[in-house]
């Protein structure tokens, strides 16, 4: 405890010592100096090293170079006269990027190596990384190292950084069901994630409140389950745009389609999917979780998750499995009969596990790994340790 407080104080002290050390997150190893180099926005360039595996045409880095140029100098680039006369050794007019392994067109994954080293001294200013994803993290760090004097001149200090993430999964969840978020807000969030070196956008797409994901296999889901099928949905094009925008920032999109609970919005579009709740011996007109007693349910899930498996390129899908309310299942005579037939007794956790297990098997057969909420483990469902060969 004392140790971590001390570490925190040292970090704060370091952060206030000079503007150039205001880095977030803090690199694993960093050495800075008082020696500063001037940067002239007009002449400064991001460049590929001659022996880099990534070269001009690498979408991930070409676009990142442009982005960071705009972020750093966007509003000032043309207000300064061209500094041809001022060239000298204390100027840095490029950052040279060397990526070891090719892979500009791939998607980041749980196993992506994000290590990088950043060296800015008299001899060089070099960003070295194993992968383009590491280069993205290094570019972010570089952008945070640049500071401006009160006169408006840009500087970067002599710096040595070796960095790698402490955690391979650094996620942020957005719930676009309870509250619909316009596409632009999602893209803004991805930008902010990149500034903070987050690498997983956990997209909780649908829930009880609304079903904004436009399914091409089951368009009725969105037509009848979204807040507004004209304005409050994500089209196939929107989803593609999110996935590509995220990829360009080294962010995985982990899509969550939570079942068997949290599914009220699925009901209107897929008659028979949800369990009719009973009041005494009659249906009450309300619905509960997905009906786990019907074969149709699993046929629907097979078709639906086949679509989802192809739309979302990440190895993992999030299948939810949390907060299943047993009240409705308990009230329904067909469910009671199914429990009896299966020998589940009064243990509705067994019924839930039966559903989840069947769903996990369906999704595994599509070559996907899955993520589920804690309850699934607590209820002793057999979850495979699925791992993609990295
Ligand atoms: C960067 O250099 C400036 C001036 O040379 C100095 O005031 C500042 O403390 C330095 N920052 C770091 C982090 O060393
Ligand atoms: C990345 O950094 C970690 C931690 O130092 C190290 O174990 C791993 O070997 C590094 N990977 C590469 C490709 O440099
Ligand atoms: C559901 O499928 C199983 C296995 O194929 C079969 O034994 C069962 O009779 C089917 N149930 C219904 C209600 O069709």
């Amino acid at each position: 405890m004392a140790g971590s407080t001390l570490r925190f104080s040292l970090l704060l002290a370091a952060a206030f010592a000079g503007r150039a050390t205001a880095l977030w997150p803090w690199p694993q190893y960093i050495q800075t100096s008082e020696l500063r180099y001037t940067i002239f926005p007009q002449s400064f360039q991001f460049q590929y090293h001659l022996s880099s595996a990534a070269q001009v045409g690498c979408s991930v880095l070409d676009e990142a170079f442009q982005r960071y140029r705009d972020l750093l100098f966007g509003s000032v680039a043309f207000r300064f006269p061209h500094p041809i006369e001022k060239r000298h050794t204390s100027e840095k007019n490029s950052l040279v990027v060397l990526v070891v392994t090719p892979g500009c067109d791939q998607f980041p994954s749980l196993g992506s190596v994000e290590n990088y080293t950043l060296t800015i001294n008299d001899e060089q200013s070099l960003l070295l990384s194993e992968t383009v994803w590491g280069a993205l993290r290094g570019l972010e760090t570089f952008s945070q190292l640049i500071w401006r004097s009160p006169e408006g001149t840009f500087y970067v200090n002599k710096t040595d950084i070796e960095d790698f993430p402490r955690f391979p999964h650094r996620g942020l969840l957005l719930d676009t069901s309870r509250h619909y978020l316009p596409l632009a807000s999602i893209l803004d969030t991805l930008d902010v994630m990149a500034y903070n070196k987050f690498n997983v956008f956990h997209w909780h797409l649908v829930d009880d409140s609304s079903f904004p994901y436009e399914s091409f296999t089951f368009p009725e889901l969105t037509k009848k389950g979204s807040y507004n099928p004209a304005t409050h949905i994500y089209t196939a094009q929107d989803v593609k745009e999110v996935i590509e925008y995220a990829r360009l920032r080294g962010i995985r999109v982990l899509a969550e389609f939570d079942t068997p609970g949290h599914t009220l919005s699925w009901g209107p579009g897929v008659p028979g999917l949800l369990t009719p709740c009973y009041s005494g011996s009659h249906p009450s007109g309300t619905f509960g979780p997905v009906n786990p007693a019907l074969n149709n349910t699993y046929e629907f899930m097979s078709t639906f998750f086949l679509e989802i498996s192809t739309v979302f390129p990440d190895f993992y899908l999030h299948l939810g499995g949390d907060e299943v309310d047993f009240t409705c299942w308990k009230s329904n005579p067909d469910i009671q009969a199914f429990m009896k037939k299966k020998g589940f007794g009064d243990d509705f956790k067994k019924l839930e596990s039966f559903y989840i297990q069947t769903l996990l098997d369906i999704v595994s057969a599509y070559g996907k790994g899955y993520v589920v909420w804690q309850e699934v483990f607590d209820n002793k469902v057999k979850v495979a340790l699925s791992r993609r060969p990295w």
Side-chain angles (χ1 to χ4, degrees):
M1 187 63 198
S4 69
T5 308
L6 175 65
R7 187 178 132 80
F8 184 61
S9 313
L10 288 175
L11 282 184
L12 280 182
F16 287 113
R19 295 167 66 177
T21 44
L23 293 175
W24 174 262
W26 194 247
Q28 301 284 349
Y29 168 86
I30 175 168
Q31 187 154 25
T32 57
S33 117
E34 302 261 308
L35 183 63
R36 66 182 187 185
Y37 304 104
T38 312
I39 290 180
F40 294 104
Q42 306 88 322
S43 48
F44 179 82
Q45 285 182 9
F46 294 102
Q47 285 173 347
Y48 293 99
H49 192 280
L50 279 176
S51 41
S52 170
Q55 291 292 339
V56 174
C58 171
S59 53
V60 172
L61 293 182
D62 283 356
E63 296 202 21
F65 291 172
Q66 188 58 48
R67 231 169 30 243
Y68 281 108
R69 166 167 285 288
D70 291 348
L71 270 173
L72 286 167
F73 313 123
S75 56
V76 292
F78 302 104
R79 275 203 270 129
F80 287 76
H82 201 278
I84 292 171
E85 306 307 322
K86 297 178 83 175
R87 291 250 163 103
H88 45 76
T89 50
S90 65
E91 179 194 335
K92 283 290 169 203
N93 60 9
S94 68
L95 177 71
V96 177
V97 177
L98 199 168
V99 175
V100 175
T101 310
C104 295
D105 302 320
Q106 293 166 4
F107 288 93
S109 68
L110 180 60
S112 292
V113 174
E114 293 169 285
N115 304 25
Y116 67 92
T117 65
L118 187 56
T119 314
I120 295 159
N121 58 32
D122 290 351
E123 285 77 47
Q124 58 182 349
S125 62
L126 179 71
L127 169 57
L128 170 67
S129 67
E130 183 65 32
T131 66
V132 292
W133 316 120
L136 287 178
R137 307 301 168 232
L139 285 169
E140 176 57 38
T141 302
F142 177 75
S143 78
Q144 295 181 17
L145 284 174
I146 292 178
W147 56 281
R148 266 183 113 178
S149 69
E151 297 75 40
T153 311
F154 290 91
Y155 295 102
V156 66
N157 287 28
K158 183 172 189 283
T159 307
D160 251 313
I161 289 178
E162 276 173 41
D163 200 13
F164 57 89
R166 185 171 169 201
F167 302 106
H169 181 124
R170 306 180 303 282
L172 181 85
L173 181 153
L174 284 187
D175 178 341
T176 57
S177 168
R178 292 178 176 91
H179 188 107
Y180 178 82
L181 295 169
L183 182 61
S185 305
I186 295 179
L187 302 185
D188 285 348
T189 305
L190 291 168
D191 278 322
V192 175
M193 287 175 66
Y195 303 152
N196 292 282
K197 300 195 173 96
F198 278 56
N199 68 353
V200 181
F201 169 37
H202 177 166
W203 193 356
H204 187 87
L205 267 152
V206 302
D207 206 288
D208 285 328
S209 320
S210 78
F211 198 103
Y213 169 81
E214 189 173 51
S215 163
F216 48 84
T217 324
F218 299 102
E220 296 296 301
L221 278 167
T222 325
K223 282 202 189 109
K224 298 192 173 150
S226 62
Y227 284 131
N228 181 325
T231 55
H232 285 50
I233 64 169
Y234 303 106
T235 64
Q237 188 52 43
D238 293 338
V239 171
K240 268 200 184 121
E241 198 171 328
V242 167
I243 292 170
E244 179 62 4
Y245 199 91
R247 186 186 82 84
L248 289 170
R249 287 153 184 79
I251 299 172
R252 298 163 47 206
V253 177
L254 174 65
E256 178 179 0
F257 288 87
D258 190 358
T259 70
H262 293 273
T263 46
L264 286 184
S265 70
W266 304 46
V270 188
L273 181 67
L274 302 184
T275 309
C277 313
Y278 274 64
S279 171
S281 57
H282 298 286
S284 67
T286 62
F287 293 89
V290 162
N291 189 335
L294 300 178
N295 286 350
N296 278 350
T297 293
Y298 301 103
E299 278 164 29
F300 166 81
M301 290 298 168
S302 293
T303 314
F304 180 73
F305 278 103
L306 178 60
E307 170 182 328
I308 299 308
S309 301
T310 48
V311 166
F312 293 93
D314 199 79
F315 177 62
Y316 291 95
L317 287 176
H318 198 305
L319 301 176
D322 60 320
E323 298 175 325
V324 183
D325 183 353
F326 297 145
T327 321
C328 183
W329 279 353
K330 282 180 185 166
S331 77
N332 181 301
D334 296 336
I335 302 274
Q336 291 159 11
F338 186 76
M339 293 280 289
K340 206 165 187 182
K341 188 176 127 197
K342 288 282 177 190
F344 292 160
D346 292 333
D347 191 350
F348 283 83
K349 282 187 182 176
K350 285 188 176 152
L351 179 60
E352 180 189 354
S353 295
F354 171 82
Y355 169 82
I356 297 270
Q357 192 67 63
T358 311
L359 183 64
L360 297 189
D361 292 345
I362 289 169
V363 170
S364 301
Y366 295 145
K368 289 283 188 183
Y370 46 76
V371 180
V372 288
W373 293 110
Q374 172 84 31
E375 285 98 314
V376 175
F377 292 88
D378 294 347
N379 294 347
K380 312 241 181 333
V381 174
K382 209 166 75 235
V383 288
L385 289 174
S386 50
R387 183 179 291 179
R388 169 203 185 103
W390 293 335

